[in-house]
Amino acid sequence: MSTDDLIETFRAQLRDDPDVASAVVAIRVLLGFLKQDRGETIQGLRSSLLAAIDTLSRVDSSVAVSSGGELFLRFISLTSLEYSDYSKCKEIMIERGEIFLRKVSLSRNKIAKLCHPFIRDGAQILTHAYSRVVLRVLEAAVESKKRFSVYVTESQPDQAGQKMAKALRKLNIPVTVILDAAVGYIMEKVDLVLVGAEGVVESGGIINKIGTNQIAVCAKAQNKPFYVVAESFKFVRLFPLNQQDVPDKFKYKADTLKTSQNLTEEHPWIDYTSPSLITLLFTDLGVLTPSAVSDELIKLYL
Amino acid sequence: MPGAAERGSELSEQIEAFVARLRGGGERPRSEDTARQTLSLLRKIIAHGRWSRAGELMDLIRMEGQRMTAAQPSETTVGNMVRRVLKVIREEYGRLHGRSEESDQQESLHKLLTSGGLSEDFSTPYPPLRANVIEAINELLIELEGTTDNIAMQALEHIHSNEVIMTIGYSRTVEAFLKEAARKRKFQVIVAECAPFCQGHEMAVRLSKENIETTVMSDAAIFAVMSRVNKVIIGTKTILANGALIAVSGTHTLALAAKHHSTPLIVCAPMFKLSPQFPNEEDSFHKFVSPQEVLPFTEGEILAKINVHCPVFDYVPPELITLFISNIGGNAPSYIYRLMSELYHPDDYEL
């Protein structure tokens, strides 16, 4: 499969299925790539996969695609350790890959089931930008007959908050769009903060749309619970100690990285929220405290 | 078989009696006794109940467990013991089924990537399962007996001479803890009386019988005295999954005062009080009793114009707690998730 084909398939799948997370699309594309691969050895497979993942991250440089790719590589290594015969190994990989994709499609519902009891009747929720997992959670809360209202930050520069507000209005949830700068003002009225995540790092912190860190700091200052909802394939092996530690390739869009002269003049798209500001993480592996996240990552990677 | 039918009806009578006692809630029951009674009852159900497969047994236990927890939701030890038994059944079944100890049944990223199919079925019948499970429950009962002693044994590491310790209300675990330390060390104890039931008085009487210098004071004076206190040691009713406490009313005030003065807050509680629930909407841990203690019925005239509440329990968030001392040692609140995964299986968190 040539690089252009790969990019085309990836873009097409993203377009056709806007509801699916980009990490899942990346894994699906990689699985298709695996099926078509003509190589005869594991090493060959690994190196062509690494090249494929590199290509994909040049299209969409978000944390999610990177974590999806790394997870897929790990998946290949684990399977290849069990079977020495290459063709048998490949068969098992393809089978397991399909099972994995099926399980992952159920993860949003699992998270919604875990999270919606935490939304009390009459609650005021604050959320940030556009997150499909948060949308699913709020949908589940509506289905369980809870009444609540939502504040969404406008989330510049792409106004993702407006998209979220539109989706919430379709569910008949009373929603107010607020300026990003108004978070400190609105925090006293809010009962809980609920955000999604693009990536969950080893320390239990999260990488999410720019502005999340501010909201977390305000919430901590006013003693409001800060909940994060994320699927388990978003766990990455990063351990940033501050904002500078997050790699540039995640902070800026792929096109900006290619064309810009001086990155310090560009606006970053994501920021890092430290685990001390997060109350609980809701994942398809269960409800986790931030300290439990590194345990999960260790179980996978070691 | 007439014998079986008799045993069956006797068993359901005992279950009914237990449920009624839980619901009645007259006297404040001791958590350890509740745990022991629950385990004995579950053991009888396993021994005399009609089941042939592990799956059927688990459904039976789950059904009885739901009935018992619904009777009195604030008695979380009942639910905890049911979950322990379910975990025991899973383990014994796994051992008989020949699954290796390594393959953890917990959900994990690793499992997501490597598993080939659906989860365990529990449908193969194994005759030795009944005996194995009953033996494991007997072990649990023995473990229960030793919890207070195990906690008290750690007392000398935490209490030093000439310290001023503060506690609230009456906790038998803390009483044993302090008595054990008093055998070798000299220290003072300040007991907050914990209105409106004033169980702090009983605690003070028992401690002073062991020649520990004890002072009783009102709850309102907690903050005022806190600057002179070296450590705060308390018991609790329940430990929640995020490391928070459901403890006797007044504990949150004590915890906040301790945090303000940077005084360490130590919680002495056995592992059977650890519950896999999180604090959320279904806050059924709260228990309200007759407001007679707060405002007696003799004040008849005012009663028509005001609302009087008498909550029994308080929620203490995990940030205020320094250390948990349990029968398996000392742990930080952030480590509770790990202890939970060892005691219970994730599928049993919701009974």
Side-chain angles (χ1 to χ4, degrees):
Chain A
M1 213 182 196
S2 73
T3 38
D4 290 324
D5 278 338
L6 200 63
I7 297 176
E8 203 31 65
T9 330
F10 186 56
R11 283 224 174 95
Q13 289 212 6
L14 273 178
R15 246 193 332 256
D16 297 331
D17 229 341
D19 223 17
V20 179
S22 40
V24 180
V25 174
I27 294 179
R28 211 183 279 162
V29 168
L30 288 172
L31 195 60
F33 178 84
L34 170 66
K35 282 187 195 150
Q36 291 193 351
D37 183 59
R38 295 267 168 271
E40 296 289 318
T41 63
I42 298 286
Q43 285 286 47
L45 178 64
R46 258 191 90 89
S47 55
S48 40
L49 270 177
L50 278 167
I53 294 173
D54 195 44
T55 323
L56 287 179
S57 36
R58 266 185 273 127
V59 174
D60 180 355
S61 69
S62 64
V63 187
V65 169
S66 157
S67 76
E70 224 183 286
L71 204 61
F72 197 73
L73 271 178
R74 183 70 192 154
F75 162 63
I76 299 290
S77 329
L78 283 174
T79 323
S80 63
L81 283 172
E82 296 176 35
Y83 300 92
S84 44
D85 174 33
Y86 182 67
S87 46
K88 179 106 199 303
C89 189
K90 198 162 161 191
E91 255 175 61
I92 302 278
M93 274 188 219
I94 294 176
E95 192 188 313
R96 283 199 186 157
E98 301 286 348
I99 294 178
F100 175 70
L101 281 174
R102 245 177 305 167
K103 275 196 197 167
V104 153
S105 62
L106 299 168
S107 52
R108 265 192 214 153
N109 288 333
K110 267 196 210 170
I111 296 175
K113 203 171 111 185
L114 281 174
C115 189
H116 79 84
F118 284 72
I119 300 176
R120 291 166 204 263
D121 215 18
Q124 313 252 36
I125 304 174
L126 173 64
T127 186
H128 184 56
Y130 179 66
S131 164
R132 287 163 290 213
V133 193
V134 173
L135 206 52
R136 185 76 198 87
V137 169
L138 295 178
E139 212 181 299
V142 167
E143 280 163 22
S144 61
K145 310 267 193 296
K146 298 221 172 95
R147 288 163 303 172
F148 55 90
S149 61
V150 180
Y151 291 100
V152 192
T153 54
E154 196 183 32
S155 181
Q156 295 283 16
D158 62 351
Q159 302 232 346
Q162 300 285 7
K163 202 166 148 199
M164 183 74 163
K166 210 162 107 187
L168 286 171
R169 279 191 200 108
K170 274 209 201 102
L171 296 170
N172 280 328
I173 300 173
V175 56
T176 317
V177 179
I178 60 171
L179 294 173
D180 296 337
V183 168
Y185 170 79
I186 208 82
M187 192 55 77
E188 60 189 28
K189 286 202 220 168
V190 160
D191 292 316
L192 62 105
V193 184
L194 186 63
V195 300
E198 293 195 26
V200 179
V201 295
E202 246 177 280
S203 56
I206 57 165
I207 293 186
N208 198 24
K209 184 86 187 291
I210 190 101
T212 314
N213 195 24
Q214 255 158 250
I215 299 181
V217 173
C218 283
K220 188 79 179 183
Q222 303 248 11
N223 253 326
K224 307 286 178 182
F226 186 85
Y227 297 131
V228 174
V229 282
E231 300 101 313
S232 59
F233 54 77
K234 290 181 176 165
F235 284 20
V236 293
R237 285 204 77 184
L238 266 181
F239 204 118
L241 296 173
N242 55 21
Q243 305 296 338
Q244 304 308 322
D245 278 347
V246 180
D248 279 343
K249 68 175 185 192
F250 296 144
K251 283 190 196 166
Y252 309 102
K253 296 251 178 228
D255 312 320
T256 326
L257 285 167
K258 269 183 267 187
T259 57
S260 126
Q261 316 294 72
N262 190 359
L263 274 178
T264 53
E265 287 175 16
E266 301 293 332
H267 296 292
W269 280 84
I270 55 158
D271 63 18
Y272 163 68
T273 305
S274 92
S276 54
L277 303 170
I278 301 174
T279 318
L280 286 175
L281 285 124
F282 296 90
T283 70
D284 49 334
L285 304 171
V287 186
L288 303 173
T289 47
S291 36
V293 170
S294 56
D295 241 19
E296 289 297 328
L297 276 166
I298 291 176
K299 273 194 236 165
L300 172 65
Y301 284 106
L302 284 167
Chain B
M1 247 166 49
E6 247 173 56
R7 268 182 276 141
S9 62
E10 199 187 293
L11 185 58
S12 45
E13 254 176 52
Q14 284 174 342
I15 300 177
E16 287 299 325
F18 183 61
V19 169
R21 215 182 359 224
L22 279 177
R23 203 180 295 134
E27 212 192 273
R28 185 175 157 232
R30 203 183 155 180
S31 292
E32 197 183 309
D33 291 334
T34 318
R36 200 175 306 127
Q37 282 164 9
T38 315
L39 275 181
S40 316
L41 207 53
L42 289 173
R43 185 175 53 182
K44 284 208 188 85
I45 294 176
I46 295 174
H48 303 314
R50 255 171 292 156
W51 56 275
S52 54
R53 295 182 168 71
E56 287 172 25
L57 176 60
M58 280 166 53
D59 287 333
L60 180 63
I61 300 276
R62 215 171 272 138
M63 198 181 71
E64 296 297 337
Q66 273 166 3
R67 195 150 62 113
M68 292 195 267
T69 45
Q72 183 66 273
S74 66
E75 276 296 328
T76 44
T77 32
V78 175
N80 297 345
M81 289 294 107
V82 172
R83 291 180 184 98
R84 289 293 287 271
V85 169
L86 286 170
K87 176 119 199 234
V88 159
I89 298 172
R90 282 174 206 268
E91 271 174 14
E92 292 299 327
Y93 180 81
R95 215 166 285 159
L96 286 170
H97 201 60
R99 214 187 322 115
S100 71
E101 294 294 328
E102 299 236 343
S103 63
D104 200 5
Q105 285 169 312
Q106 315 277 20
E107 282 281 347
S108 73
L109 271 180
H110 187 109
K111 246 205 94 199
L112 226 69
L113 293 182
T114 57
S115 69
L118 301 160
S119 46
E120 260 315 322
D121 212 1
F122 295 110
S123 58
T124 329
Y126 288 107
L129 186 65
R130 198 181 288 244
N132 286 4
V133 172
I134 292 182
E135 201 184 303
I137 295 187
N138 288 336
E139 277 173 26
L140 268 182
L141 278 166
I142 296 176
E143 190 191 308
L144 262 188
E145 311 266 322
T147 48
T148 319
D149 289 329
N150 284 337
I151 295 176
M153 273 190 326
Q154 305 171 49
L156 283 174
E157 293 165 8
H158 299 281
I159 299 181
H160 310 289
S161 285
N162 293 329
E163 275 198 329
V164 179
I165 314 265
M166 179 178 271
T167 184
I168 187 169
Y170 176 39
S171 161
R172 294 163 194 95
T173 319
V174 175
E175 184 197 339
F177 193 79
L178 293 175
K179 276 186 184 166
E180 179 66 29
R183 294 199 301 135
K184 295 250 176 76
R185 310 238 201 267
K186 200 117 183 56
F187 53 90
Q188 288 180 42
V189 178
I190 304 181
V191 183
E193 69 178 357
C194 188
F197 304 103
C198 292
Q199 282 157 340
H201 297 174
E202 198 184 330
M203 176 75 145
V205 164
R206 283 172 186 250
L207 287 178
S208 53
K209 280 208 184 101
E210 302 291 319
N211 292 325
I212 301 175
E213 207 179 308
T214 321
T215 318
V216 179
M217 34 152 262
S218 69
D219 299 339
I222 288 178
F223 190 88
V225 182
M226 188 56 76
S227 49
R228 277 182 249 178
V229 173
N230 296 111
K231 288 195 174 79
V232 180
I233 302 183
I234 57 174
T236 176
K237 179 79 181 167
T238 307
I239 305 174
L240 295 174
N242 58 346
L245 301 180
I246 302 283
V248 74
S249 186
T251 314
H252 196 173
T253 319
L254 182 62
L256 284 170
K259 186 78 179 185
H260 185 271
H261 289 91
S262 295
T263 312
L265 177 69
I266 300 176
V267 180
C268 292
M271 273 292 104
F272 63 78
K273 287 190 178 169
L274 177 56
S275 172
Q277 290 146 301
F278 280 89
N280 60 16
E281 162 73 45
E282 279 98 50
D283 264 11
S284 39
F285 310 123
H286 287 306
K287 188 173 155 191
F288 289 85
V289 293
S290 156
Q292 160 78 354
E293 311 285 337
V294 177
L295 192 63
F297 291 124
T298 47
E299 310 274 336
E301 231 180 85
I302 323 175
L303 285 177
K305 301 180 195 155
I306 56 173
N307 285 325
V308 188
H309 296 290
C310 187
V312 180
F313 299 119
D314 229 351
Y315 171 78
V316 183
E319 301 85 58
L320 303 175
I321 303 166
T322 317
L323 187 68
F324 279 106
I325 297 181
S326 70
N327 46 311
I328 53 179
N331 296 108
S334 54
Y335 197 64
I336 290 289
Y337 74 91
R338 193 61 175 268
L339 299 172
M340 253 201 346
S341 64
E342 286 169 23
L343 290 177
Y344 312 117
H345 190 276
D347 288 342
D348 300 329
Y349 289 174
E350 293 277 325
L351 265 185

